[in-house]
Amino acid sequence: MSPLRISLNLYSLISPCRSFLLFVCIIIAANVFAQPLPLDPSIRIGKLENGLTYYLKVNKKPENKAALRIALKAGSIVEDEDQQGLAHFVEHMCFNGTKNFTKNEMINYLESVGTRFGPDLNAYTSFDETVYMLEVRTDDQEKLSKGLTVMEDWAGGVAFDGDEIDKEEGSGRFRMAFQVKCRSENVQ
């Protein structure tokens, strides 16, 4: 019998053992990682009347700053075939006008008070989530208040201005969907 044939016979015996061991490792890992991670006891969790869950944690660094986030359990996975890219499109529209900031007024204001687009002000859409991020100063009540207004607008005050929709790349296929939806709900 040739050495190659012996090797193939040994591999065929070892392969089921490897498969079984891999299966056992996957089951063990699934059980270990299925356990919820313990929360830091210094994090305060609450729920608003509208159902929004919030998490608060005090940090000493960076000084005089608050990192504000809105994390939505909505990304590309919840989009139907004809909605591909819609979550990302909405993310972009959040920077193009809201209830309290017209067109680019939000970005202009935030940059005028030292907020940098990218490190301090940003958003992303992934497979299973959309996250909006803003860092604001806490040693200036007006700046903190405006930052919270931005978060409020992102959560439910996006303007979806027609001109701004048209400026967004790939917006053509969503424009009609917005118009139909608005007409069906009598939204102006």
Side-chain angles (χ1 to χ4, degrees):
M1 192 180 278
S2 74
L4 179 60
R5 182 133 175 114
I6 294 171
S7 295
L8 288 175
N9 286 338
L10 282 175
Y11 183 75
S12 65
L13 291 174
I14 294 171
S15 184
C17 290
R18 281 187 177 171
S19 295
F20 178 74
L21 287 174
L22 178 61
F23 176 74
V24 169
C25 288
I26 290 171
I27 296 298
I28 291 171
N31 284 325
V32 168
F33 292 116
Q35 304 301 318
L37 292 174
L39 278 177
D40 181 337
S42 68
I43 295 175
R44 195 167 100 204
I45 303 169
K47 193 168 231 163
L48 301 178
E49 288 179 15
N50 64 6
L52 178 85
T53 301
Y54 63 86
Y55 300 81
L56 299 174
K57 175 155 176 67
V58 175
N59 289 309
K60 295 186 190 277
K61 299 234 178 199
E63 290 182 12
N64 300 319
K65 281 200 170 186
L68 307 175
R69 303 287 186 267
I70 295 178
L72 306 171
K73 294 180 184 178
S76 61
I77 191 147
V78 298
E79 297 172 337
D80 293 333
E81 190 65 35
D82 63 337
Q83 298 171 326
Q84 291 297 305
L86 184 57
H88 189 237
F89 174 76
V90 171
E91 171 208 318
H92 279 232
M93 291 305 298
C94 286
F95 293 91
N96 295 338
T98 65
K99 176 182 166 189
N100 293 290
F101 300 93
T102 61
K103 301 190 186 269
N104 288 67
E105 192 178 291
M106 175 194 302
I107 294 170
N108 293 338
Y109 166 75
L110 291 169
E111 287 180 339
S112 77
V113 297
T115 302
R116 298 163 299 159
F117 202 107
D120 303 325
L121 170 67
N122 218 327
Y124 69 86
T125 300
S126 69
F127 185 66
D128 62 347
E129 68 180 357
T130 302
V131 178
Y132 299 89
M133 304 167 283
L134 174 62
E135 281 197 21
V136 295
R137 305 239 8 123
T138 57
D139 58 347
D140 183 318
Q141 188 62 40
E142 182 182 341
K143 290 176 185 171
L144 177 60
S145 179
K146 284 262 195 177
L148 292 171
T149 299
V150 168
M151 300 304 278
E152 178 184 9
D153 281 0
W154 282 345
V158 181
F160 293 108
D161 176 81
D163 292 337
E164 295 300 314
I165 290 172
D166 290 340
K167 289 179 188 175
E168 279 299 316
E169 185 177 333
S171 66
R173 64 188 170 128
F174 299 125
R175 190 180 214 339
M176 187 181 298
F178 280 127
Q179 289 171 338
V180 169
K181 180 92 170 139
C182 288
R183 274 192 221 114
S184 70
E185 296 178 3
N186 289 326
V187 176
Q188 298 297 325

